[in-house]
Amino acid sequence: MITPPAWPQLWQPPGAMGWVLPHVAEVNLWHIVLFAVLGLVIGSFLNVLIYRLPLMILRNEEPETTAFNLKTPRSHCPHCQHQLHWYELIPVLSYAVSLGRCRHCQQTISWRYPLVEILTAGLFCLCLLKFGFAWPALLASAFCAMLLALAWIDAETFLLPDALTQALLWVGLIGSAMSLTPTPLMHSLSGAVLGYGLLWMVSWGFEQLAGKEGMGQGDLKLLGGLGAWVGVWSLLPLLLLASISGLIFGVSQKMRGQLGHNGHFAFGPFLAFSGFACFFLGISMGA
């Protein structure tokens, strides 16, 4: 009789991975160059997502005379609307050559574009060194790309699009089921359920006490997606780190008079920062 393999027990912590890069010796220069270039290209696409996806959501209920999506209209200068040629779309290099200005109207181009591209390339290389030149590194890179886009969109627009939070959740669960992430499937499933439920209880409790909504539904979905990647044992450290960093930011903004009239600020970037820390550092309640 064949005995099926036992699933990891929820009460058994996986143990902290720690800040280690176990595959450094297996990675060569060409691997690093490949992941860096891939990161720059994906980072360029993330800039499109960050700019257009919120506009697509906000325009969803309005009648449109012209198509507006991720590919239409073509990339253009936000000031003079000039369509950009292919040589004006090379990640980082085009920005550097043009000195951060449009070649046609000479208006300043946001520093967000090269920064997102560089950050994405750096995160992709970190995934390569962490997981080696294999599928888990690509999946971890997808995690980083989605999380970076979500954090930036929330910081700028207070939106966390379902298209990205749901992708974060399902890619994490599928990756765990295929053993392409360091999180066992039972921990991933439990982390997703508890991640959403934990913030829902906090949000519900705040609403009952204060009589107003304290947290958006997007934050709940984001923590559920993060739970699928880091697992149930990393949820509390993740939420604690996000809450402390968010509290420090909120107090500092309040003291500087920059918090806004409603006292709200985007919590998504702090969840994302904590998600990166728990994923790469292996922060959990396990030994």
Side-chain angles (χ1 to χ4, degrees):
M1 180 178 179
I2 300 177
T3 304
W7 281 18
Q9 302 299 321
L10 291 180
W11 56 85
Q12 180 182 357
M17 292 173 61
W19 176 243
V20 292
L21 299 175
H23 295 277
V24 173
E26 304 171 9
V27 173
N28 61 45
L29 178 60
W30 292 112
H31 294 159
I32 296 175
V33 170
L34 177 61
F35 266 68
V37 171
L38 180 62
L40 289 173
V41 173
I42 297 299
S44 181
F45 175 68
L46 292 186
N47 278 317
V48 177
L49 277 181
I50 292 169
Y51 176 73
R52 297 196 181 197
L53 199 53
L55 292 178
M56 290 167 59
I57 294 172
L58 296 175
R59 296 182 181 187
N60 191 36
E61 298 179 358
E62 300 178 5
E64 289 290 332
T65 56
T66 58
F68 185 86
N69 49 51
L70 296 180
K71 64 179 181 179
T72 304
R74 290 179 54 190
S75 297
H76 56 273
C77 171
H79 304 289
C80 65
Q81 307 302 313
H82 172 78
Q83 286 191 356
L84 302 179
H85 301 289
W86 67 267
Y87 52 83
E88 296 175 291
L89 296 172
I90 302 174
V92 179
L93 183 60
S94 295
Y95 185 90
V97 170
S98 64
L99 300 179
R101 294 182 178 275
C102 174
R103 293 163 56 91
H104 300 271
C105 67
Q106 296 303 310
Q107 290 292 325
T108 302
I109 301 173
S110 173
W111 53 267
R112 165 172 62 84
Y113 293 97
L115 181 58
V116 168
E117 292 163 355
I118 292 171
L119 283 175
T120 308
L123 288 169
F124 275 38
C125 289
L126 186 60
C127 293
L128 172 67
L129 299 176
K130 183 76 172 180
F131 297 100
F133 191 67
W135 289 110
L138 284 177
L139 205 65
S141 298
F143 165 76
C144 292
M146 288 184 285
L147 203 52
L148 180 59
L150 282 165
W152 213 293
I153 289 173
D154 194 28
E156 289 189 347
T157 66
F158 288 87
L159 292 173
L160 287 168
D162 286 347
L164 293 178
T165 54
Q166 290 180 10
L168 186 73
L169 170 68
W170 286 109
V171 173
L173 291 175
I174 293 172
S176 177
M178 299 176 66
S179 298
L180 295 177
T181 73
T183 305
L185 180 57
M186 281 299 293
H187 291 177
S188 179
L189 285 168
S190 304
V193 173
L194 184 61
Y196 184 91
L198 198 61
L199 270 195
W200 180 87
M201 288 188 291
V202 171
S203 178
W204 180 83
F206 180 87
E207 188 173 350
Q208 297 302 309
L209 293 174
K212 61 180 181 179
E213 186 181 79
M215 191 171 297
Q217 292 292 315
D219 294 318
L220 279 62
K221 297 172 185 176
L222 175 56
L223 188 58
L226 286 171
W229 284 89
V230 302
V232 65
W233 283 89
S234 292
L235 272 180
L236 287 181
L238 189 158
L239 189 55
L240 181 63
L241 180 59
S243 300
I244 293 175
S245 57
L247 179 62
I248 294 172
F249 174 81
V251 171
S252 64
Q253 290 294 95
K254 182 70 174 179
M255 294 176 62
R256 295 165 61 186
Q258 298 179 356
L259 193 57
H261 68 281
N262 57 5
H264 291 171
F265 62 89
F267 191 51
F270 301 100
L271 287 173
F273 165 76
S274 304
F276 281 127
C278 289
F279 184 74
F280 284 109
L281 302 181
I283 299 174
S284 73
M285 295 186 297

